[in-house]
Every structure is written in C-alpha cells, then in structure tokens.
C-alpha cells in the first residue's frame, strides 16, 4: 500500500467502527470521540442501557447493541446487524473487560476463568470474526485491543488480569504479522489507572494515593486521554504502525 497522506484534523469520516464495552468508561469516551470525528459507531455491550447510550452520543450515526462478547451467537448476530445497517466494518476496538482481583494463592477458578474468557478470549473472538470480514472486504482495517500497564509490570492481586492482558499483547503481535498482507493494522493501548468505574473500584482509597505517588507524572488518566490515542490509531496517520503497544501511563513503567 502506498502512502496517501492523512487528515490533519484526524477525521475518520464514514469509517464504520465497532466498540465493545462502549456503554461506559473508556469505550464510551472512544465512541463519543469517533462519532464526533465522523465515524459510524456500533457499541456492543452487556449493559441494557447500551441502546440509550448510543442515542445519547448520536442518534443517527451511532447504534447500540446488547451483546455478550463471551457468547459466539451474540457476537455473530450483533456483527450482522452492523453490516445490515452500515454495510461494512473498518475499525474494531476491544474495550470490554473486567478486573477481578485477589491474591495469587487464593484466586478462585471462577475469577480466573471469567477474566480470561472476557479479556482475552472475548477479544480474540471479536478479532477473528471481524478480521475475517475485513479480509473479505479487501480494504484493510484497524483493530485496537485494550491491554494495560498490568501486561508489563507486576501489580499486587492482578495475576489473572495480568495474564489476560499479557495475552492481549502476544495476540496483537501475532495478528498484526498474519494480517499485514491484508493491510489490517492491529495495535494495543496499555493505560495506567484510568478514572472510570472499573479504575475507581480497583484503585480507591490509600492504595490509589500510593499508586499515584509512584507515577512520575503524579496522576491517573482520564477516559478522554485514552480515546485520543484510539483516534490516532484509527486514523490514516498510523497506517505504517502495526503490532505496536502504546503505553499511556504517566511514565509508570519506565522506572
Ligand atoms: N480503568 C482502568 O484503570 C483501566 C486501565 C487499563 C486498562 N483498562 C482496560 O480498558 C478496558 C475498559 O475499561 P473501563 O475502565 O472503561 O471499564 P468499565 O467497567 O467502565 O467498562 C467496561 C464495559 O465493558 C462491558 N462489559 C463487561 N462484560 C462484557 C461482556 N461480556 N460483553 C460485552 N460487554 C461487556 C461493561 O458493561 C462496561 O460497559 C478494559 O479492557 C480494561 O481492562 C482499564
């Protein structure tokens, strides 16, 4: 593929994006920004307010579909709905995720399995299903997987979460390599603590204050800051970037 330039205002006009976990938190901020930048957005989320969330963002160019990304039938049906309404898929963001934290020696099979099933297998299945469609379409594509600083550094009580997110980084590279021939770019974002529902729950109180002090820039992040990176990755400005992991952590992992 040749270099055809890029929109310097980072518009992604008429691109069709699926955002999993987009009813709240980071996924919601990404859905809002993508919609503002001209994309047609389909939000897949377990929450039953997903349809209202999509309407609040943009009644015409955004659709919400209640979908469990650990359920194959749900995913197939939701992807078909997107194709019926928008005709194609150009961008996939895997944002649906959970953090079930416990001591490594005590963590239950249930916590372990739920984490791997959603964070890793759910993300892979979405990549596989949407990647196949992008290959058939023949017009390339962008896939962005939400990893975490926990994929790179050790955090207390994060064993299942860390394993799932380190898996995301391996998977991202493998897919980027295999699908480069189809011009499908696959990248990851690894944030530090982001002040969403999930982030606040996992990092409240003294634990959070201590963690903040250890971050060179001295603060946690905001969903909008992750959305900005997700826009950069979805835009044509990063058409030479694939298999990369963008770390957004206030310098936490450079120490
Ligand atoms: N918040 C942080 O501190 C932080 C830091 C690093 C990475 N991340 C990652 O970013 C992603 C988003 O995190 P967030 O903080 O916005 O979380 P969040 O809890 O605010 O949002 C996650 C969304 O995923 C949805 N979801 C959960 N299970 C689902 C399923 N089976 N199918 C479909 N949707 C489902 C939830 O309903 C929710 O709307 C996650 O992958 C998380 O691991 C978050």
């Amino acid at each position: 593929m040749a270099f055809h330039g890029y929109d310097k205002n980072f518009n992604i006009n008429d691109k069709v994006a699926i955002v999993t976990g987009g009813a709240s938190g980071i996924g919601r901020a990404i859905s809002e920004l993508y919609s503002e930048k001209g994309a047609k957005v389909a939000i897949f989320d377990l929450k039953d307010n997903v349809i209202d969330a999509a309407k609040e963002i943009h009644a015409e160019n955004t659709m919400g579909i209640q979908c469990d990304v650990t359920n194959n039938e749900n995913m197939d049906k939701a992807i078909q709905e997107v194709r019926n309404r928008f005709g194609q898929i150009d961008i996939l963001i895997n944002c649906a995720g959970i953090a079930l934290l416990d001591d490594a020696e005590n963590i239950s099979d249930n916590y372990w399995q739920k984490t791997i099933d959603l964070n890793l297998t759910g993300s892979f299945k979405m990549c596989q299903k949407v990647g196949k469609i992008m290959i058939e379409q023949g017009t390339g594509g962008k896939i962005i997987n939400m990893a975490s600083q926990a994929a790179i550094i050790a955090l207390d009580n994060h064993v299942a979460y860390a394993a799932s997110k380190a898996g995301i980084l391996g998977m991202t590279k493998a897919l980027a390599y295999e699908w480069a021939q189809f011009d499908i770019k696959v990248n990851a974002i690894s944030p530090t603590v982001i002040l969403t529902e999930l982030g606040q729950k996992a990092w409240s109180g003294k634990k959070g204050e201590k963690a903040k002090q250890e971050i060179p820039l001295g603060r946690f992040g905001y969903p909008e800051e992750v959305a900005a990176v997700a826009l950069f990755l979805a835009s044509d400005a990063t058409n030479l970037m694939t298999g990369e992991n963008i770390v957004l952590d206030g310098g936490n992992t450079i120490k």
Side-chain angles (χ1 to χ4, degrees):
M1 286 290 288
F3 176 60
H4 297 294
Y6 65 95
D7 183 317
K8 288 178 183 160
N9 291 313
F10 295 93
N11 288 308
I12 46 173
N13 284 330
D14 296 324
K15 296 281 183 197
V16 177
I18 294 177
V19 184
T20 75
S24 64
I26 295 169
R28 166 117 191 190
I30 293 172
S31 302
E32 286 174 0
L33 185 59
Y34 278 16
S35 167
E36 205 178 310
K37 287 292 177 181
K40 295 172 184 156
V41 181
I43 302 174
F44 291 8
D45 203 290
L46 205 53
K47 287 188 178 152
D48 57 12
N49 71 350
V50 60
I51 293 163
D52 290 339
K55 278 191 195 140
E56 279 164 30
I57 293 171
H58 196 295
E60 279 128 50
N61 77 4
T62 303
M63 70 191 291
I65 305 173
Q66 197 173 10
C67 169
D68 178 352
V69 300
T70 65
N71 178 310
N72 272 307
E73 274 175 30
N74 267 214
M75 286 184 272
D76 290 337
K77 201 166 157 275
I79 290 168
Q80 193 52 50
E81 275 186 55
V82 179
R83 297 184 88 186
N84 292 346
R85 168 130 178 225
F86 294 142
Q88 65 194 50
I89 305 170
D90 305 297
I91 302 162
L92 165 67
I93 317 264
N94 281 308
C95 238
I98 37 166
L100 299 172
L101 309 181
D102 205 349
D103 304 325
E105 64 275 28
N106 292 323
I107 191 165
S108 65
D109 290 353
N110 180 39
Y111 265 29
W112 175 271
Q113 203 55 51
K114 267 193 171 160
T115 307
I116 300 296
D117 284 352
L118 175 57
N119 295 6
L120 184 56
T121 312
S123 297
F124 172 63
K125 291 308 293 182
M126 282 300 300
C127 286
Q128 188 182 45
K129 289 170 192 293
V130 171
K132 215 171 187 168
I133 292 168
M134 287 175 171
I135 292 168
E136 279 166 23
Q137 289 174 169
T139 49
K142 297 269 191 167
I143 297 178
I144 301 161
N145 295 314
M146 208 51 69
S148 165
Q149 62 178 4
I152 306 164
I153 53 167
L155 301 172
D156 204 22
N157 288 339
H158 274 65
V159 67
Y161 189 79
S164 73
K165 296 300 187 179
I168 287 281
L169 296 188
M171 178 187 85
T172 296
K173 283 195 222 175
L175 293 176
Y177 184 59
E178 275 197 40
W179 292 347
Q181 62 185 310
F182 305 113
D183 200 35
I184 298 171
K185 278 76 75 174
V186 191
N187 292 292
I189 305 176
S190 285
T192 185
V193 176
I194 302 296
L195 295 165
T196 63
E197 200 182 311
L198 180 147
Q200 276 165 358
K201 199 167 130 201
W203 295 93
S204 57
K206 272 190 193 156
K207 181 183 162 191
E209 286 312 309
K210 185 167 173 278
K212 241 186 273 179
Q213 282 165 17
E214 287 167 6
I215 297 175
L217 289 180
R219 68 172 178 92
F220 293 151
Y222 292 91
E224 293 81 356
E225 294 180 291
V226 186
V229 177
L231 176 62
F232 178 57
L233 286 176
S235 77
D236 289 335
T238 49
N239 278 352
L240 193 61
M241 189 185 292
T242 198
E244 191 50 80
N245 174 35
I246 298 195
V247 182
L248 184 68
D249 69 344
N252 202 25
T253 61
I254 58 177
K255 297 169 289 173

